[in-house]
């Protein structure tokens, strides 16, 4: 089945592999991959690959893909990938939801994603959520929160600190 071939393509980032799977993916359209992101019967690696394909080839559907992959019922690895890209494709509301996720990996990816947003207008509401991660026992999560906040503070100080 063409969809399976795309999702299982060997070495999908290499030029030779991409030359094979990308045209097939484009012909299938974003909708096919949005369905696969939600397919609990499919291995998580293929669901993650479906997300990556939408983000790369179908940017108009990227927010929807990130929201689907980041839904609370999804596996933590898929939610973490969604959190990673939420700051680029989805926005502060989705990042905020991931900052409160129960899984450590999801929160860490959300903190790093928040870094992309904190210096933007209107994203200041994320700062208290990221700051609260500084009390987490995991050092990598605290580090991600500190990096995000330093980026935010650096953005504030460009206007005359």
């Amino acid at each position: 089945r063409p969809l399976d071939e795309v999702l299982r393509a060997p070495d999908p980032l290499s030029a030779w592999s991409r030359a094979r799977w990308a045209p097939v993916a484009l012909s299938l359209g974003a909708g096919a991959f949005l369905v696969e992101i939600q397919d609990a019967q499919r291995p998580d690696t293929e669901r993650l690959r479906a997300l990556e394909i939408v983000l790369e080839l179908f940017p108009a559907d990227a927010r929807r893909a990130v929201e689907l992959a980041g839904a609370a019922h999804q596996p933590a690895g898929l939610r973490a990938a969604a959190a990673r890209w939420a700051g680029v494709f989805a926005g502060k509301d989705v990042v905020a939801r991931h900052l409160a996720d129960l899984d450590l990996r999801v929160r860490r990816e959300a903190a790093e994603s928040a870094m992309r947003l904190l210096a933007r207008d209107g994203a200041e509401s994320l700062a208290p959520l990221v700051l609260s991660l500084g009390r987490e026992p995991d050092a990598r999560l605290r580090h991600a929160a500190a990096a995000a906040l330093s980026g935010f503070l650096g953005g504030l100080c460009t206007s005359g600190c």
Side-chain angles (χ1 to χ4, degrees):
R1 186 175 122 175
L3 182 60
D4 293 332
E5 291 175 17
V6 171
L7 295 176
R8 297 174 188 157
D11 200 11
L13 299 180
S14 68
W16 67 267
S17 181
R18 184 180 176 76
R20 291 181 186 165
W21 67 257
V24 177
L26 288 168
S27 71
L28 292 170
F33 298 100
L34 293 172
V35 168
E36 296 309 313
I37 289 169
Q38 302 172 80
D39 184 355
Q41 301 304 312
R42 201 172 267 288
D44 292 351
T45 55
E46 293 178 14
R47 295 167 76 190
L48 176 59
R49 186 69 193 125
L51 171 64
E52 293 168 344
I53 289 168
V54 173
L55 297 180
E56 183 177 343
L57 298 181
F58 305 102
D61 296 290
R63 181 181 174 100
R64 181 77 181 128
V66 168
E67 289 172 343
L68 291 171
H73 67 276
Q74 297 285 24
L78 195 56
R79 292 195 322 273
R84 178 181 318 125
W85 293 107
V88 175
F89 295 108
K92 66 181 179 178
D93 56 324
V94 178
V95 172
R97 189 177 74 239
H98 290 304
L99 287 168
D101 196 281
L102 296 176
D103 190 270
L104 172 71
R105 293 170 297 169
V106 177
R107 291 195 312 273
R108 186 170 57 238
E109 293 288 355
E112 292 176 5
S113 195
M115 190 175 353
R116 298 179 186 102
L117 291 173
L118 282 171
R120 294 184 190 171
D121 292 336
E124 296 84 10
S125 62
L126 291 176
L129 297 171
V130 175
L131 184 61
S132 72
L133 299 177
R135 294 187 296 271
E136 292 284 338
D138 183 78
R140 291 174 294 180
L141 183 52
R142 290 192 314 268
H143 178 76
L149 289 170
S150 69
F152 173 64
L153 294 174
L156 290 177
C157 289
T158 59
S159 58
C161 289

